[in-house]
Amino acid sequence: MATTPRQRPQRTDRPSAAPTTPSPESSASAPTPATTPATTPATTPGVTPAVGATIYSVAERAGVSIATVSRVLQGRAVVSEATRQKVLEAVESLHYVPLGAARSLAVRHHEAYGLVIPELTGPYYSELLMGFETRAAELGQSVILLLANGKSDVPGAVGHLATRVDGIAVLGSAALPPTLARALRGRKPVVVIAGSSPHVPGGDSVELVAAENVHSAEQLTAHVLDHGRSRLLYVGDPDPAPDISERYAGFVAAHAARGLVAAEPVRVPFRESEGVAVADRILSGELEADALVCANDELALSIMTRLQDAGRDVPGDIAVVGWDDVMTSRYVRPGMTTVRQPVHELGVLAAERLHQRVDGAAPLPAPVLLPTEVVLRGSCGCPTP
Amino acid sequence: MATTPRQRPQRTDRPSAAPTTPSPESSASAPTPATTPATTPATTPGVTPAVGATIYSVAERAGVSIATVSRVLQGRAVVSEATRQKVLEAVESLHYVPLGAARSLAVRHHEAYGLVIPELTGPYYSELLMGFETRAAELGQSVILLLANGKSDVPGAVGHLATRVDGIAVLGSAALPPTLARALRGRKPVVVIAGSSPHVPGGDSVELVAAENVHSAEQLTAHVLDHGRSRLLYVGDPDPAPDISERYAGFVAAHAARGLVAAEPVRVPFRESEGVAVADRILSGELEADALVCANDELALSIMTRLQDAGRDVPGDIAVVGWDDVMTSRYVRPGMTTVRQPVHELGVLAAERLHQRVDGAAPLPAPVLLPTEVVLRGSCGCPTP
DNA sequence: CTGTTAGCGCATTCAC
DNA sequence: GTGAATGCGCTAACAG
């Protein structure tokens, strides 16, 4: 077996330093006329050289082996202070930037997590993302963001994402999870955020984290009923999003607890323009209600404002409550009664669970639920401070 | 040189299929008792196997070479329909997910761009990110997000990021660019968003894209002056952010154009609480003004609301204008006069320029400037519709 | 404390 | 149209 060992072929930018020529220091400058210091590569100034320094060039420059370079860069093994300095200098003068892909290949980890969300309008997604990125970074992981809305081939995009991450977190409030489950077939750990168990296929490799919805929705609805309102309408479409449907369930439950039967939901998308349309249907008499429980604040705000502009009194004529506690809800008059979710924590939790899973932990059998908080302001009928 | 060619060592999960044994179909199932179909790997159900399928296992399963597998997966070279199907079936049954890192190493491209922003509160960063991600995705690039705020070692984080992307976009409205320039030393293409030339070192490899500030700030200020206001105050700290300083320059210019001299800026950070504090200084008489030109909407909104709560009339007693046109600015009464920036387009442009640069294009010598738009509502003194 | 040596999994010439 | 061989740059045993 003592055949010629595999020997790295000579690279164009590296002189053929034969192993029989152990010139200790700058063997790189040998073939080059020693006019300019080797620090400046012979490229047009201001232009990134086509190929950067590698661990080999650094090792050569420092007069050590690539293993040693790797050691000082990883900071793992012990290296003598002298050689460490030589290496660091070489790194510096060569402007060495390691190639992440090569490391990933060697360590068999991408050291990155994917996050799939529909878009980024409103504070919900942003806070989620901030929580996720923050925790992921603490755990030494990069985050690759995939915005699903507007992508023509979401399954394809998710598949591509799977190619470069160790795990994926996905927002359940969309048609994403089924798509994703199909695209992944359990090959990567998945954490579904704000989804609900029945909606998530491929269940054995996915895990759920969410904010509590049913109970707080019931609580909020009960509060509105306590204000003496009797004709409540739920505004929002429970079908596509598990969390919205859970909130509607709470709405129904609050009615049932008093022997009342809840009205069917007013199914509209989450757009401000839709809120205006709903308000108009109320103004025209098509819809009758003395209180509106809206699936989110955007809807609630646009409805309330439109109603007010048309001369209706909120909450006098009609109460309006939302969900999410966006900034605007603090600024409008009356203040919007709403529910605050621990969205940031949800992101943190998702990153955390993903990390556990990638580390080999089994998925938690039951979803992790984070508590929410009802925020009472004026729009529900509470006295304004 | 006819020594033993380098031969892939046998992997534990791959049987030693000697080249002399060209069993066409399922050579993989040979050593295994053919009880269960080879589709199901012998791992505990529901648990991701420690190591997934590789291009080798797919090739073996399909009875072709890895080159052919690569061809059908890349869709580049022509492959006969028959073999293409065999490969696709193998991919399917093996649940093959390619390893992005290996591809990156081979093609010598990460196919990913980094985006560095301070945080994600408010619509500005979100829209920027959406524009950036959308365009990057269209260009076949992933985006790795780095949130700088709260990171203890930003230069380190940026350096790490540089390890795994082909180029980096960074928001200039922060102390980021210098840090970044130092961390990168021109080894990767960089696009600075909303920065200003003098603030950006390492200029030869960086490029600037921004929204126009000076002129629109001058225009907005002139408009306020046209309302008959004479004691204007600029609220916000021009120092740390180039765009804020440019807006102040416009503020000053508008005064100068009428032979007036602008007051020194009221230097406060961009927090709502700071706005409240500024309002209190006005209420107490410490600050005197009949109009406030604020560096952004958050500041303007919190000031205006506080003033109103204290019984002041906006714009009667004092006009307040902002910058950014956030959602709340449409909802408050009076509506907030502000300036709308093409933030989404800024993100798109950044991704686009980065792509050009990675493709080898030289950085544009002059910054690309996108036009902004003054949005007149009631808070400046204009009649409310 | 340091160097040698194999791979990691994929894309890619070349041959055929 | 297909296969064999090679290298991308790095980490990690394994020797010394």
Side-chain angles (χ1 to χ4, degrees), chain A residues 204-219:
Chain A
D204 51 348
S205 84
V206 315
E207 177 167 332
L208 295 168
V209 302
E212 197 285 318
N213 277 304
V214 184
H215 180 67
S216 24
E218 181 173 354
Q219 201 180 323

Side-chain angles (χ1 to χ4, degrees), chain B residues 8-9 11 55-56 70 74 96 99 103:
Chain B
R8 273 201 97 76
R11 295 168 33 126
I55 199 172
Y56 290 97
S70 183
Q74 302 305 316
Y96 172 55
L99 198 63
R103 173 186 163 84

Side-chain angles (χ1 to χ4, degrees), chain A residues 8 11-14 28 38-43 47-62 66 69 73 87-102, chain B residues 105 108 110 162-163 184-188:
Chain A
R8 274 202 98 76
R11 295 168 33 127
T12 54
D13 58 341
R14 206 140 33 89
T39 308
T40 309
T43 51
V47 172
T48 307
V51 55
T54 71
I55 199 171
Y56 290 97
S57 41
V58 173
E60 191 167 293
R61 189 88 146 80
I66 60 166
V69 174
L73 260 36
V87 169
L88 258 22
E89 283 174 26
V91 165
E92 193 69 12
S93 67
L94 258 27
H95 292 356
Y96 172 56
V97 177
L99 198 62
Chain B
L105 184 56
R108 306 172 67 83
H110 295 281
T163 265
L184 255 42
R185 307 187 231 66
R187 299 296 302 124
K188 300 265 179 183

Side-chain angles (χ1 to χ4, degrees), chain A residues 13-384:
Chain A
D13 58 341
R14 206 140 33 89
S16 71
T20 50
T21 316
S23 50
E25 277 302 311
S26 57
S27 64
S29 60
T32 318
T35 45
T36 46
T39 308
T40 309
T43 51
T44 23
V47 172
T48 307
V51 55
T54 71
I55 199 171
Y56 290 97
S57 41
V58 173
E60 191 167 293
R61 189 88 146 80
V64 300
S65 74
I66 60 166
T68 298
V69 174
S70 183
R71 285 184 188 108
V72 350
L73 260 36
Q74 302 305 315
R76 308 229 204 230
V78 197
V79 181
S80 84
E81 189 51 31
T83 53
R84 144 175 252 90
Q85 282 309 326
K86 283 193 301 181
V87 169
L88 258 22
E89 283 174 26
V91 165
E92 193 69 12
S93 67
L94 258 27
H95 292 356
Y96 172 56
V97 177
L99 198 62
R103 173 185 162 84
S104 291
L105 185 55
V107 301
R108 306 171 66 83
H109 273 307
H110 295 282
E111 299 176 312
Y113 297 150
L115 178 63
V116 185
I117 56 181
E119 35 131 3
L120 270 178
T121 58
Y124 182 90
Y125 302 121
S126 297
E127 284 203 25
L128 186 75
L129 176 47
M130 288 183 71
F132 189 82
E133 197 275 350
T134 300
R135 190 67 187 116
E138 288 171 2
L139 296 169
Q141 310 296 312
S142 302
V143 3
I144 300 189
L145 180 68
L146 176 58
L147 264 26
N149 278 9
K151 251 86 177 176
S152 52
D153 179 23
V154 175
V158 171
H160 180 77
L161 177 63
T163 264
R164 25 181 61 221
V165 298
D166 297 319
I168 297 185
V170 56
L171 203 72
S173 327
L176 260 34
T179 284
L180 190 142
R182 204 149 309 138
L184 255 41
R185 306 193 227 67
R187 299 297 301 122
K188 301 265 177 180
V190 170
V191 170
V192 174
I193 305 166
S196 64
S197 326
H199 289 243
V200 179
D204 51 348
S205 84
V206 315
E207 177 167 332
L208 295 168
V209 302
E212 197 285 318
N213 277 304
V214 184
H215 180 67
S216 24
E218 181 173 354
Q219 201 180 323
L220 177 64
T221 305
H223 175 80
V224 173
L225 289 167
D226 283 343
H227 273 303
R229 312 288 165 152
S230 57
R231 314 183 61 168
L232 315 208
L233 246 30
Y234 183 84
V235 184
D237 191 354
D239 283 345
D243 49 355
I244 304 306
S245 113
E246 291 179 3
R247 290 172 205 167
Y248 181 63
F251 178 83
V252 172
H255 282 77
R258 317 187 166 210
L260 302 174
V261 42
E264 280 295 299
V266 180
R267 299 177 188 278
V268 295
F270 288 175
R271 282 195 306 269
E272 290 180 42
S273 59
E274 294 295 335
V276 172
V278 170
D280 286 343
R281 289 166 66 187
I282 290 170
L283 292 169
S284 75
E286 180 193 337
L287 252 31
E288 281 184 74
D290 57 9
L292 265 21
V293 178
C294 304
N296 75 4
D297 279 358
E298 271 80 358
L299 231 32
L301 287 165
S302 57
I303 293 177
M304 180 172 87
T305 305
R306 175 67 160 198
L307 256 22
Q308 290 174 318
D309 285 351
R312 297 294 173 92
D313 178 29
V314 177
D317 298 330
I318 185 169
V320 179
V321 302
W323 200 287
D324 279 350
D325 194 23
V326 303
M327 183 182 87
T328 308
S329 295
R330 301 200 302 278
Y331 278 100
V332 290
R333 298 298 146 79
M336 181 65 68
T337 287
T338 184
V339 176
R340 182 152 50 222
Q341 306 188 65
V343 186
H344 190 272
E345 285 67 28
L346 219 48
V348 168
L349 187 60
E352 205 131 292
R353 289 305 309 154
L354 218 40
H355 198 243
Q356 301 273 321
R357 296 284 308 287
V358 171
D359 254 30
L364 258 32
V368 182
L369 284 192
L370 260 30
T372 57
E373 176 195 358
V374 176
V375 179
L376 266 22
R377 289 195 266 251
S379 70
C380 59
C382 280
T384 332

Side-chain angles (χ1 to χ4, degrees), chain B residues 140-187:
Chain B
Q141 310 296 313
S142 301
V143 2
I144 300 189
L145 179 68
L146 176 59
L147 264 25
N149 278 9
K151 251 86 177 178
S152 52
D153 179 23
V154 175
V158 171
H160 181 77
L161 177 63
T163 265
R164 24 182 62 221
V165 297
D166 297 318
I168 296 185
V170 56
L171 203 73
S173 326
L176 260 33
T179 284
L180 189 141
R182 205 149 308 138
L184 255 42
R185 307 187 231 66
R187 299 296 302 124

Side-chain angles (χ1 to χ4, degrees), chain B residues 224 227 229 231-233 235 278-279 281-283 287-294 300 303-308 311-321 334 336 378-381:
Chain B
V224 173
H227 274 301
R229 313 286 164 151
R231 313 183 63 167
L232 316 206
L233 245 32
V235 185
V278 170
R281 289 166 64 187
I282 290 171
L283 292 169
L287 253 29
E288 280 184 75
D290 56 12
L292 263 24
V293 177
C294 304
I303 293 178
M304 180 173 86
T305 305
R306 176 66 160 199
L307 255 21
Q308 290 175 319
R312 297 293 174 93
D313 178 30
V314 176
D317 298 331
I318 184 170
V320 179
V321 301
M336 181 64 69
S379 71
C380 58

